[in-house]
Structures are given as C-alpha cells and as structure tokens.
Amino acid sequence: MEEIKVFCPGTIANVSCGFDVLGLALDAVGDEMTVRKTSEKGIRIIKIRGQELPLQTEKNVAGVAGLALLTASNYEGGFEIEIDKRIKPGSGIGSSAASSAGAVWAMNELLGKPFSQLELVQFAIQGEKLASEVAHADNVAPAIFGGFTLVRSYQPLDIVPIPTPDDLYATVIHPQIEIKTSDSRKILRTTISMEQGIQQWGNLGGLIAGLFRSDYELIGRSLEDHIVEPIRSILIPGFDAVKANALKAGALGGGISGSGPSIFALSKGRETAENVAQSMQKTYETVGIPFDIHISKINAQGVKQIS
C-alpha cells in the first residue's frame, strides 16, 4: 500500500475529573487526512483545506509527530500529507491531536504496522508539545486507541483503555471563539488542597468504575471537577447556564471539553442527547456568539481507514 486516507476523530479530554489523564474519542466529529509514501526522505505537508495552518513540517503538529515516527523507523523514504481540517484549532475538541494521531497512525499502516498503539501515542504527543508546550496524551490516546482511555503514567507512558457503555452519547457545543491550550494552562494553580485532591480522586475512580459497570448514575455523579473547571469556566461565556440547563434536559453530567471553549455533556441514549443539544442551542442563542453543536456516539475504534 502506497497511499491511505483516514478519519481522525475529535476528542474530549479531561472529562471533568481527569485532568491530563482521561479522554474519549468522538464518532461524529473529525478531520480527514491522506498520507502517501515518497522516495524523498522526510515529511512534506502539501495541502491543508479548511483552516489556515502552516505547511512547514517543523511548525505543523502532523509534521512534528510524523518526524518522530520516521526517525524511529527503518524506512529510507518519506511521506506526503494532505489534511482536510474540519476541527477548528483552539476548539477544545482535540484539533491538534487529530492531526498528530492521524499522521502517525496512517504512516504506521503504510509501513506495515511496525509500531504499537502505545508507541504511536509517544510519537503523537510530540505534536501536542508543539501545540500546547506540554506533551500531554489525554487527547491523542483516545484518538489512537478509541473509546475512553486513562493515562495511568507519563514516565513511563502507560495507557489503559476503558470500556464504554453501549448507550452513552456525547453532546458538544463549540462557541466560535478560540482559547489556546497553552494560554488556558497558564491560569491554572500549581497546587491544590488535600480536600480538593480527595474529591477529585474519588470522582475519577467513580467515573472509571461507572464506565466498567455501565452504571450511568454513577457516571453522572462522578462528572465533577473542583480544581480546573472553576478557573477555566470564566473564559467561556454562558458556561454555567449551558451546563445547568443540560442537566435539566436529562444529561448525566458535563463540563469543559479539553481547555475549552467547547462544553460537553454525556447522556444515556440518543434521544436525551438530542434534548440536551436543543437545550444548549436555546441557551447559547441568548449569548450572542455563533456556535456549532455535535451529537456523537463514543468512537470505539479511534483513527480509521476510509479509503
């Protein structure tokens, strides 16, 4: 195989209580990418549609992630990349992760799968480091593994796939403003109290237990963040109203998607997820900022070949 076209899923990172360690992949939101082998050494990004992003390899997350894989491989040629960019940068739904994960996954396929999924995450986080100044894996891990993933450790990197209940849906509203991950990290506190830590650990454990047991009520009770959300939410117009009304519409719970400005809610069943979307739309129409809304099953596969 000399060429491959892939779907690169959007993701929700943190999932309220799992800052930098928990994420999930979306099925209805993502980029498309075409990658082909070349005889010329290196990575060339030849076309980007949909967004104004750099074509220079060292300034593009897909290029940086791809170079990390290429350096570790025995392949003497290179790759060309075309990106159909459908996730806006700074949206909070894993734009940079989709490009980074899609590039390394596609290259690995073209090379005959010499690298494991864990190794692909290690390459992809180099793209995340370029985008946000931190090599975090909570977006690229679910993009590559699919479903929910837990980053148990960064040193050494240890990714744990978490099962997803069959009837779990995500609703995401994306206000058309940009919040850079690097900027949103700078406003966070670097210390927390013991009480905050205990609350957060309990919620993270409860959420993972709820996912394993398909216990939707436990999932809902655990979707609380007492550390990051109170700080980052002030950057998102209408956040409190959107979240409160989503819960009234039947959502299990919700919060900030990644670093924002997108807001997510998880629901049991598509009908409830659609009701939540209507609630979000009605609420945000009063804010005066354009927005997009997505309803999605959890993507259990991650990056996938589409041609």
Side-chain angles (χ1 to χ4, degrees), residues 287-304:
V287 176
I289 297 174
F291 59 88
D292 295 325
I293 293 181
H294 309 284
I295 301 171
S296 180
K297 283 279 285 184
I298 310 304
N299 177 349
Q301 185 176 350
V303 181
K304 59 185 176 182

Side-chain angles (χ1 to χ4, degrees), residues 188-194 196-197 226-228 231:
L188 298 178
R189 299 188 183 97
T190 56
T191 60
I192 62 172
S193 68
M194 181 66 76
Q196 288 175 314
H226 301 281
I227 298 173
V228 177
I231 300 172

Side-chain angles (χ1 to χ4, degrees), residues 9-13 26 29-31 51 85-98 139 172-181 184 236 255-264 292 294:
T11 49
I12 295 173
L26 297 167
V29 188
D31 297 338
Q51 298 293 326
K85 197 67 188 161
R86 302 181 182 184
I87 308 174
K88 292 183 179 180
S91 62
I93 48 178
S95 178
S96 59
N139 285 106
V172 184
I173 181 168
H174 171 210
Q176 299 299 297
I177 59 175
E178 180 179 353
I179 297 178
K180 292 184 178 180
T181 302
S184 69
I236 305 173
I256 302 172
S257 180
S259 58
S262 289
I263 306 166
F264 81 94
D292 295 325
H294 309 284

Side-chain angles (χ1 to χ4, degrees), residues 8-9 31 33 53 60-63 65-66 81 83-85 87 94-105 124 127-128 140 143:
C8 317
D31 297 338
M33 179 180 290
L53 294 169
N60 188 290
V61 297
I81 302 174
I83 305 172
D84 187 356
K85 197 67 188 161
I87 308 174
S95 178
S96 59
S99 294
S100 300
V104 299
W105 192 93
E128 291 290 76
V140 293

Side-chain angles (χ1 to χ4, degrees), residues 166-239:
D166 293 336
D167 212 19
L168 193 63
Y169 282 78
T171 306
V172 184
I173 181 168
H174 171 210
Q176 299 299 297
I177 59 175
E178 180 179 353
I179 297 178
K180 292 184 178 180
T181 302
S182 55
D183 292 338
S184 69
R185 296 185 78 93
K186 291 174 183 176
I187 67 172
L188 298 178
R189 299 188 183 97
T190 56
T191 60
I192 62 172
S193 68
M194 181 66 76
E195 181 181 2
Q196 288 175 314
I198 290 169
Q199 285 180 311
Q200 202 82 338
W201 303 325
N203 283 324
L204 180 57
L207 178 54
I208 291 174
L211 293 168
F212 267 97
R213 293 162 52 179
S214 294
D215 186 333
Y216 293 93
E217 290 186 0
L218 178 56
I219 291 169
R221 296 200 307 273
S222 303
L223 286 170
E224 292 187 6
D225 176 14
H226 301 281
I227 298 173
V228 177
E229 183 178 299
I231 300 172
R232 282 183 169 173
S233 61
I234 64 177
L235 302 176
I236 305 173
F239 173 82

